[in-house]
Each structure stands twice: as structure tokens, then as C-alpha cells.
Amino acid sequence: LDKPFQSVILSITGGSSQESKSGLLATTISRQTCSSICDSPATIAESFKPISDESLAFLAELPALFMSELELDHQGNDIFRIRLGTVSNLSIIGSEIRYTFELFDNFGDVKVPNREAFREAFKMGSLELYRTHWAVKSADLAAALQTVLPQMMQNVNVYPTPEPPQSVEHDVTFVSTLQEYMSHVLNLNESDGEEIFYRGHSNFKYSLVPSLFRNNKAGAYTHLPKEEIMVREILSVQDAQFANDRSMLDRLVRMQHFGLPTRLLDITSNPLVALYFACSEVKKDDDGNELDGEVIVLRAQSTDVLNFDSDRVSCITNLSLMKEEEKNIMDLTMSKEAFNAEPVVMKLLHFIKREKPYFEPRIEPSDLAKILFVRARHTHERMISQSGSFLLFGKDAILPETGYGSLRISRIRISQKYTILAQLNKLNIKASSIYPGIEKAASDIAKKHEII
């Protein structure tokens, strides 16, 4: 990294009764959040993979800024309630990171005359002023506070931060030929009650993130806030394309096929298909060096692999019809009974009942945040040729690079892409077989007969 981290910024929901109290308070955050650290996210997040005692200890040494969400005071001015403190006693419990925090300096209600200047001072994305979250920043916390609180910072000391933890390679095998790859795959031990899937991508630095959940350089989502708008628009302008689809999953699969960002991540049960995708594009770094591809091996319990007609699948896929503000106010910590009585959840139930009239108001709140393996219906040739399945991402779900629940992850780093593509071609694994249709067939024929 070219500069040390300076702070961890935590936002607490406005109006929280805990916010006005001092002393040591216990709380819980999602373990997945560590894979979604904002502000130069790719660089910062890499150094926390895999989540380890060292990376948790590093977080405990950072000064922390605690803020409410953006609010209005009685005069209509934008305000934040801001305190300084630290986090400590970080530990991994199941899918969560638990910690305590202590609050020190209380700046009270801080007026924000210029939202953009405030956001830039703390290197926040456009949505971070309004969403409860936590993030690690490369900003200089003392300098940022001096910018927004010059009168209050005279007697406040923000202590220096340590060097960040180093990124660690986790369960990676390196191959440069088809023979090496197949030898590794054929020696994978598949336990009873376990299934293996694969995902190939042309740059080993890519994350396991569906297109809808991807971020821009500032760490903000590129498409997620507009999910419902995009879905309704394509259903409106291409209604005939979706005429034979039975469920929202069918529609999302078709949208994915035509390039619309969705909450689906393509995976395959065919390791050769994954290898083709890992080699099919040449990616280069800033110095012009070719980047290796990667095949990710995903192991899941058979009981966790759901079919297209699963009720849990219907619950998550129909989130795509909900407005962003409606999804944001869903409180997944509520009891099942209270959650299903919420007006916004009753709207979600209405969408689910369109495809399942028998569905009862018994959504398990935690199910909406899960990541599910799904076997979709093979409604077009491409899914058949690619032996396709999907990972379906729930509300704000993020897949840690080291696994999730019973899901285990390992990686195969792929070099010598051109050589491997030539070897795959001899097995009829090529563009025209992966992407059935005259366009790819024509391209393959042209390459075969090209005179160089």
C-alpha cells in the first residue's frame, strides 16, 4: 500500500438510545462487511483477506469516528452527531464479527453547511451519508476533523496508526497447462453430501460479486440503488422476451443473459467451462504485464443447493421489485411475526404471491440476507452449454473471499492463457460451444482460417 490507513469510520443509526451514552458498549457487525471496506476498496480490502487475528488486531488499533446518519435540526440545518473512540475485543462468532467500543470525545450536533465538502473530507461515497454502515478509510482522520471542526479540534489528540496487515495468499494452486489443471481438479476430494461448482474469471484480482453489487472507484455501488428501476424498465420495453417465464428467478436469469446487472453470480458444474472463462480474455496491469486468470472452486453441502422453485429463492429474487428505500428500512433483526406484519414486507409478500398464490406470511427475516446456491431452469441454450447454476445474493449480502457458512472456497491461478485456450479448443471448448449462436460460430471459423 502506498499510504497507511488512518481511521475506521462507524455510522450509528440516528436516534439510537445508545448514541448519547458514554462508556463501553457491546455490538455486532456482519463478518461479510470486512470484504466491502470502502475508499480504494480493492487495495484496502485485499490486506484483510483472509480475516485473521492480525487483521482484527489492526482494526482495534485504529482511531474510530462514530457518526449518526445525516439529520435535520429544528432550524432545518443538516447535522451529524459525532464522537471519537476505539473498538476492541474483536472476535469472529459464526458469520459475525463481535466487538466492544468505547467513546471519548463528544462533538455533539455538528452542522454541515456543505454536504459535498463534508463527504470529501472523510472520503465517503455518495450513499455513505445516509446508510448505517462501517468502513475503513485511507483518509487522515485528524486532518478531516480539522476541516469540518476547526474550533473543536484544539484539545483533541488523534493518535497515529500502525502499518496495515499484509495480504495473505489463501489456498491457491498455480497451473499453466490443461494437464496440470485437470490433474488438480480430478484429485479434489468430494465428500458425501457435498457438491462442487466452479467460477472462472480472467483477472485473479476480481471478487466474487454479482454485477448488481459492484462498486465504482470511490467505493459506491454502481447499480444497486437503481435495481427496481432497471428491472421494471426492461420488463416494460422487452415484455415479449419474458412471456414464458414463470418466476422472478426466470426473469433475472434472462436479464443476466442479456447483460443487465442482477443479484445473480454465474457458476458452473463443468470445470472446463470455468477454465475457458479464466483464459478467454487478456487482462493487463498498469505496467502492461498480463494478469493471470483464476478458477474458484466452491464446495457446498447438497442440502444448501436449492432448486428454482424454492420459497427462499422466491423471497430473495422478488427483492428486485422493491424500491431502494423500501429495502433499506427492512429490519432483519425483528422477530418473524413482527417482520411479516410490516407494511414494506407485506408489499414483498404481494410480489411473491404473484408466482406462488399459496405463499403464507412467514418469511424468515434472516433468509433475505443469505447467499444461496440455485439451480435455475435451463430456459435457453447458453445455460445448457455452460452447465450453468447461480449464486443468488440477498439483501446487502457479500461473499467473503474465504467462504460463507458451509461454503468452502479454494482457488486455481491460471497462467499461459493462450496455450490453454488452444488445448481447450481440441476438446471443443471454445466460444461457439460456450455461446451457441451464429455470431460465435462465425468468429471461430474466421479465426481458424485466418492467414497471419
Side-chain angles (χ1 to χ4, degrees), residues 233-371:
E233 186 169 333
I234 197 169
L235 289 174
S236 297
V237 301
Q238 293 291 332
D239 179 66
Q241 291 283 351
F242 302 93
N244 296 322
D245 293 332
R246 303 174 187 170
S247 66
M248 198 62 217
L249 175 63
D250 288 346
R251 298 182 188 99
L252 289 182
V253 169
R254 196 171 302 279
M255 293 173 194
Q256 176 100 339
H257 168 70
F258 287 114
L260 192 79
T262 75
R263 54 183 62 241
L264 297 173
L265 185 69
D266 295 271
I267 55 177
T268 176
S269 56
N270 188 333
L272 293 177
V273 170
L275 181 61
Y276 172 83
F277 283 118
C279 298
S280 59
E281 290 185 66
V282 174
K283 300 289 186 179
K284 296 186 178 181
D285 62 18
D286 293 339
D287 297 322
N289 301 311
E290 184 174 332
L291 292 166
D292 291 344
E294 185 175 64
V295 171
I296 298 175
V297 182
L298 306 112
R299 299 167 177 266
Q301 295 298 310
S302 298
T303 53
D304 291 336
V305 181
L306 305 180
N307 290 313
F308 63 90
D309 56 354
S310 162
D311 287 347
R312 280 184 286 170
V313 170
S314 294
C315 291
I316 293 178
T317 53
N318 279 283
L319 284 173
S320 61
L321 294 172
M322 304 292 290
K323 298 181 185 298
E324 178 70 1
E325 56 269 26
E326 293 171 335
K327 287 179 285 192
N328 286 342
I329 64 174
M330 289 183 178
D331 183 357
L332 304 188
T333 66
M334 297 177 70
S335 68
K336 182 191 294 187
E337 293 74 18
F339 182 76
N340 283 271
E342 289 286 296
V344 68
V345 180
M346 292 174 68
K347 181 176 180 180
L348 174 61
L349 286 163
H350 170 73
F351 294 140
I352 297 170
K353 287 184 177 182
R354 288 180 180 178
E355 61 189 63
K356 293 181 174 177
Y358 62 83
F359 195 89
E360 297 182 0
R362 295 188 296 181
I363 297 175
E364 185 65 52
S366 61
D367 282 348
L368 294 182
K370 290 182 177 178
I371 300 171

Side-chain angles (χ1 to χ4, degrees), residues 67 80 82 112 114-122 129 148:
M67 297 193 300
F80 285 105
I82 296 179
V112 183
N114 186 322
R115 294 185 187 183
E116 188 63 19
F118 189 94
R119 186 184 68 78
E120 289 183 357
F122 293 107
L129 297 179
V148 299

Side-chain angles (χ1 to χ4, degrees), residues 20-266:
S20 61
K21 298 178 182 179
S22 60
L24 201 61
L25 301 173
T27 188
T28 300
I29 59 175
S30 167
R31 180 179 180 183
Q32 298 138 323
T33 311
C34 277
S35 294
S36 181
I37 299 165
C38 303
D39 196 19
S40 302
T43 304
I44 298 177
E46 279 299 318
S47 66
F48 286 89
K49 298 174 185 176
I51 299 172
S52 63
D53 291 341
E54 289 75 17
S55 57
L56 294 180
F58 171 71
L59 286 176
E61 295 185 59
L62 294 177
L65 179 69
F66 296 79
M67 297 193 300
S68 67
E69 294 180 7
L70 188 65
E71 299 178 2
L72 296 177
D73 64 13
H74 296 302
Q75 286 77 42
N77 300 308
D78 289 338
I79 62 167
F80 285 105
R81 292 194 294 279
I82 296 179
R83 287 187 175 189
L84 285 179
T86 59
V87 295
S88 58
N89 302 320
L90 291 96
S91 61
I92 298 173
I93 307 293
S95 61
E96 299 174 330
I97 293 176
R98 296 188 180 181
Y99 65 95
T100 56
F101 61 89
E102 191 170 4
L103 304 176
F104 302 128
D105 298 286
N106 183 2
F107 298 106
D109 293 352
V110 176
K111 292 184 179 180
V112 183
N114 186 322
R115 294 185 187 183
E116 188 63 19
F118 189 94
R119 186 184 68 78
E120 289 183 357
F122 293 107
K123 294 194 174 182
M124 291 182 170
S126 57
L127 296 179
E128 290 185 84
L129 297 179
Y130 312 100
R131 301 189 70 172
T132 301
H133 69 288
W134 74 293
V136 177
K137 300 291 185 180
S138 60
D140 184 326
L141 181 54
L145 288 171
Q146 185 65 41
T147 299
V148 299
L149 302 168
Q151 302 302 320
M152 300 183 184
M153 286 297 294
Q154 297 178 1
N155 298 317
V156 176
N157 179 38
V158 180
Y159 55 84
T161 58
E163 288 298 315
Q166 297 299 309
S167 179
V168 178
E169 294 283 5
H170 186 77
D171 202 1
V172 178
T173 299
F174 294 83
V175 304
S176 59
T177 67
L178 176 59
Q179 292 90 334
E180 290 176 346
Y181 177 78
M182 288 309 302
S183 175
H184 179 75
V185 168
L186 292 173
N187 282 296
L188 292 173
N189 293 319
E190 188 170 352
S191 305
D192 290 339
E194 183 180 64
E195 296 190 38
I196 299 180
F197 296 89
Y198 306 86
R199 175 173 172 82
H201 43 221
S202 55
N203 184 346
F204 74 93
K205 295 182 179 181
Y206 287 166
S207 299
L208 286 166
V209 179
S211 53
L212 183 69
F213 284 41
R214 289 173 187 162
N215 304 106
N216 59 24
K217 291 182 179 180
Y221 289 119
T222 56
H223 291 97
L224 183 58
K226 302 291 186 179
E227 178 185 25
E228 177 258 352
I229 295 172
M230 292 189 302
V231 167
R232 293 186 184 279
E233 186 169 333
I234 197 169
L235 289 174
S236 297
V237 301
Q238 293 291 332
D239 179 66
Q241 291 283 351
F242 302 93
N244 296 322
D245 293 332
R246 303 174 187 170
S247 66
M248 198 62 217
L249 175 63
D250 288 346
R251 298 182 188 99
L252 289 182
V253 169
R254 196 171 302 279
M255 293 173 194
Q256 176 100 339
H257 168 70
F258 287 114
L260 192 79
T262 75
R263 54 183 62 241
L264 297 173
L265 185 69
D266 295 271

